[in-house]
Amino acid sequence: MAHRDLVAQSGVFKGLHSGMGIAAKGMVVAFVVFTALNVDFASGVYSGVRGWIEAALNWYYISAVAVMLFVCLYLMFSRFGTIKLGDDDSKPEFSNFSWFAMLFSAGVGIGLLFFGIAEPMFYFDNTEPWGYPNNPFADQAGSAAAAMNEQRAAIAMRVTYFHWGFHGWAVYVMIGLCLAYFGFRKKLPLTLRSALYPIIGDRIYGPIGHAVDLLAVFGTVFGVATSLGLGVSQMAVGLNHLFGVDPGTTTKVALIAAISVVATLSAVSGVGKGIRIISEWNIWLSIVLLAFFLFGGPFGWLMGFFVTTAGDYLWNVIPMGFQIFNAPGDAAWQGGWTIFYWGWWISWAPFVGMFIARISRGRTIREFMVGVMFVPTTIAFFWLSIFGGTAMYMELNAAGGVGTAGVAQLVRDWNLPGALYGTIDQVTDLGWLNWIMAALATFLLATWFITSSDSGTLVITTMLSMGDDSPPQRFRVVWGLGEGFVAAVLLMAGGLVALQTASIAAALPVSVIMLMMAYGVVKSLHEDSSAAPAPAATEAPDGTRMTQDLRA
C-alpha cells in the first residue's frame, strides 16, 4: 500500500489523513475539556498514574533509557555507521552550524534557561526543604560533601549533567535515527509508525500505526502547550523584574498569544527559512549571555569547574545510569527528579526525534549519531556549568556566609523562574549591564519557545499528512495557533501542571514503542544488503587465486 493513498485528495482535509486529523482534534479537545472542567479531579488522576509509575516502574524506566544509550553506542561504532540516511548520493540539506543550532533549539534550549541555575542549586543545597534529600549522590560521598562546599557543588553538577546528558539524548538519537532511516532510506512515511515495519509489516498502515502516531501527536501537542504555559511564568517574572509589569494571568496569556503567532508564521515559512534563522539567532544571542556569565564572573574558577565536573560525570555516568534507590527518602528524590526527567525525555522524544530526522537527510548514521549525541550535550554541559557554577560560587563566597547570597533561598521557596534573574543581578556591579542581560535572557526565553513551538507544529502536521515533510500550510496555521490556545485555556483554568503530569505518564506506552523501534532498526540494518561488508575478493589484482595458487 502506498502511504500517499491514505491522504485525502480533496475536501477539508486535503493533504492530511482525514481519520487521523479528526481523531487528533477530538483527542486534544477531550483532554482539554476533561482537565479544565475539574482540575482537581484530573490532577488527582494524572498524579496517581505518575506516582504509581515512579514507585513501581522506576527500574523499568532506568533500564529502558540505559538500553537506548548502549544501542546508540553500538550503532555509532558498528559497520553500519557509513550508511546514508537517504540515497547513497544524497547530501546534507543544512550546514553543520545550522544543523547544530536547530538540534539544540528543538532539544534542550528552553530547558537550560529555566533549569540552568535552579537545578544545580537544588542539588547543592542541603536543607532538605521538601522532606527528602536534595542530593543522595552527595550523601553517599559522606561527611566531606554534607556541607555546602566545593565538593558538594561538583557532585551537584554531576547529577545535573546526568539528567541533561547522554542518557536523555540517547532517547532522542534513537527515535530520530529510526525515523530518518525508515523515512529517507527505506522510503516509508516520515512518521513514528514506520519504525515498526520490520516487526508488523504493512499493518503500520492500519489501526496500530494510527494509534502510534496519535500517541506521538498527543505528546507533542501537550508537551509544547504545557511547556509554553509554564515557561511564560519565567518570562512574566522577567518583565516584572525589568519593567514592573504585573506577572499575572493576563500578562501570561498575552505572552502565549504573541509567541504562538510568531511561531506559527515561522512554521508556515518552513524549516529552511523561519525555523533555521531563528535557531541560528538563538545560538548567537545565547553566546552573548553565556559570555556575560563567563567573563563577568570568576572566569578561571568557572573554567576549572567545567573541566573538573565534566571529568567527574564521565567517570560516574555508567554506574549512575543503573543506580536505583530503595530508601524511602532517596526513592522519593529519584522519582521526583530522575524518573521525572526520563519520562519527560521519552514523552518529548517523538516530537524532537521527528524534527531531528527531518533536518538530517543525507548524513551518515555515524555522523548523525555523533553529531546529535555529543555536540548538543557538550554545549549543554558548558552552559550548565557556567550558569549553575556562577550561582554556586556566589553562595560559596557570600558575604554573610555560605548559602546566604539569596539564590539558594529562591530555590528553597520554589521560585525557580526567579533564580535566573536573582543570579544575573549579582554577576557584576554594573546595574545597567545586569539589566541588559536580564532583558536578553527574557527575549531568549521567547525565542527558544518559538523554536520549540514551530518545530512542534511542523512535526504534528507531518505525522497527520502521513510523512509529507512539507505539509499544507493551512494546517500548520491551525495547529500552531491551536497549541497556544490549549496552553492559554489550561493556564486560565489552572490545569497546566496537571497536564504536564499526564504527559509524563504518557511516556510509559511511548517507552514500549521506543524499545520496539530500537529492535526494529537494528534488525533492519542487519538485513540491509547495503550494510553488509563487501565479500572478500577471490582473485588478487595480479590474477593470483587465494585458494589455489598460494601455498604455505
Side-chain angles (χ1 to χ4, degrees):
M1 177 185 294
H3 61 271
R4 301 307 305 169
D5 294 341
L6 299 174
V7 175
Q9 302 300 314
S10 61
V12 176
F13 290 98
K14 182 180 179 181
L16 294 187
H17 185 289
S18 56
M20 290 275 290
I22 294 170
K25 290 182 175 65
M27 176 183 65
V28 170
V29 171
F31 269 85
V32 171
V33 170
F34 173 73
T35 304
L37 287 183
N38 194 332
V39 172
D40 292 337
F41 176 73
S43 181
V45 172
Y46 301 151
S47 297
V49 175
R50 176 183 161 188
W52 175 77
I53 289 172
E54 291 176 353
L57 295 179
N58 59 339
W59 61 271
Y60 167 74
Y61 271 56
I62 287 171
S63 301
V65 174
V67 166
M68 289 300 100
L69 177 60
F70 282 101
V71 172
C72 284
L73 293 175
Y74 163 69
L75 292 177
M76 189 182 301
F77 298 107
S78 72
R79 61 189 172 90
F80 309 118
T82 57
I83 295 176
K84 282 281 186 75
L85 298 174
D87 299 327
D88 287 336
D89 59 352
S90 59
K91 302 293 183 184
E93 184 178 355
F94 302 100
S95 69
N96 285 338
F97 178 76
S98 296
W99 187 50
F100 293 141
M102 289 188 283
L103 289 178
F104 194 72
S105 294
V108 295
I110 189 60
L112 293 183
L113 270 173
F114 192 89
F115 288 107
I117 289 172
E119 185 174 349
M121 184 58 70
F122 182 90
Y123 304 145
F124 176 60
D125 191 14
N126 62 357
T127 60
E128 302 186 12
W130 298 98
Y132 58 73
N134 287 72
N135 189 344
F137 291 98
D139 297 340
Q140 288 179 348
S143 58
M148 293 173 66
N149 53 29
E150 288 203 17
Q151 183 171 346
R152 190 177 182 89
I155 297 174
M157 288 312 307
R158 181 206 306 170
V159 179
T160 306
Y161 292 161
F162 176 54
H163 289 154
W164 291 90
F166 297 144
H167 285 79
W169 273 96
V171 175
Y172 286 175
V173 169
M174 183 52 59
I175 301 293
L177 173 68
C178 291
L179 292 169
Y181 175 75
F182 288 106
F184 300 141
R185 184 86 183 175
K186 297 296 188 180
K187 311 304 181 186
L188 291 170
L190 186 62
T191 65
L192 214 62
R193 69 178 75 203
S194 296
L196 302 182
Y197 190 85
I199 301 173
I200 64 174
D202 284 339
R203 283 181 290 170
I204 64 169
Y205 299 114
I208 296 176
H210 298 339
V212 168
D213 283 350
L214 284 173
L215 187 63
V217 170
F218 174 91
T220 303
V221 172
F222 292 117
V224 171
T226 51
S227 295
L228 178 59
L230 294 171
V232 294
S233 64
Q234 189 170 30
M235 293 175 60
V237 168
L239 293 176
N240 176 260
H241 178 82
L242 295 166
F243 305 109
V245 174
D246 177 20
T249 301
T250 302
T251 299
K252 294 175 184 176
V253 170
L255 288 170
I256 288 174
I259 290 172
S260 298
V261 169
V262 177
T264 300
L265 292 173
S266 175
V268 168
S269 69
V271 175
K273 295 181 180 178
I275 295 176
R276 177 186 61 81
I277 293 170
I278 296 175
S279 296
E280 290 178 356
W281 271 103
N282 279 347
I283 296 298
W284 290 117
L285 294 176
S286 296
I287 289 173
V288 173
L289 185 61
L290 193 64
F292 166 72
F293 276 86
L294 186 59
F295 297 108
F299 176 83
W301 188 90
L302 289 172
M303 292 303 297
F305 188 64
F306 169 64
V307 173
T308 299
T309 54
D312 182 51
Y313 165 77
L314 292 173
W315 183 259
N316 290 282
V317 60
I318 299 300
M320 285 181 76
F322 289 100
Q323 178 79 58
I324 296 177
F325 293 108
N326 294 312
D330 293 350
W333 176 90
Q334 188 169 50
W337 286 95
T338 302
I339 304 305
F340 167 84
Y341 266 116
W342 286 179
W344 193 242
W345 281 97
I346 292 169
S347 68
W348 270 64
F351 150 45
V352 180
M354 169 75 77
F355 183 74
I356 290 173
R358 169 64 185 83
I359 62 176
S360 301
R361 188 202 305 261
R363 297 184 183 272
T364 66
I365 287 179
R366 183 169 296 118
E367 183 182 8
F368 173 88
M369 303 195 79
V370 170
V372 180
M373 176 76 81
F374 292 109
V375 175
T377 305
T378 302
I379 297 171
F381 287 176
F382 188 67
W383 179 288
L384 289 164
S385 71
I386 302 306
F387 276 59
T390 298
M392 288 189 284
Y393 181 87
M394 292 174 180
E395 295 292 358
L396 287 168
N397 297 276
V402 176
T404 63
V407 182
Q409 189 59 51
L410 287 170
V411 176
R412 287 176 200 138
D413 296 337
W414 211 241
N415 183 8
L416 303 189
L420 173 63
Y421 298 100
T423 303
I424 290 175
D425 276 349
Q426 301 181 58
V427 172
T428 74
D429 295 327
L430 302 174
W432 61 269
L433 181 57
N434 294 341
W435 189 94
I436 290 174
M437 290 299 109
L440 176 58
T442 305
F443 180 73
L444 272 172
L445 283 165
T447 56
W448 283 120
F449 268 124
I450 288 167
T451 52
S452 292
S453 182
D454 58 15
S455 305
T457 300
L458 192 66
V459 164
I460 292 167
T461 49
T462 296
M463 283 189 285
L464 295 180
S465 63
M466 294 299 294
D468 183 354
D469 59 9
S470 184
Q473 291 186 345
R474 64 185 185 282
F475 294 113
R476 299 186 219 177
V477 173
V478 169
W479 284 98
L481 297 179
E483 289 166 5
F485 179 75
V486 169
V489 169
L490 293 171
L491 176 68
M492 291 186 287
L496 277 168
V497 176
L499 208 59
Q500 184 186 42
T501 302
S503 297
I504 301 302
L508 181 59
V510 174
S511 69
V512 176
I513 295 170
M514 177 182 74
L515 291 171
M516 294 173 67
M517 292 172 72
Y519 169 77
V521 75
V522 171
K523 180 176 184 290
S524 182
L525 282 168
H526 277 280
E527 294 173 351
D528 186 346
S529 59
S530 68
T538 58
E539 185 173 283
D542 63 356
T544 302
R545 302 181 69 82
M546 299 289 289
T547 56
Q548 299 175 14
D549 299 336
L550 294 183
R551 297 288 184 269

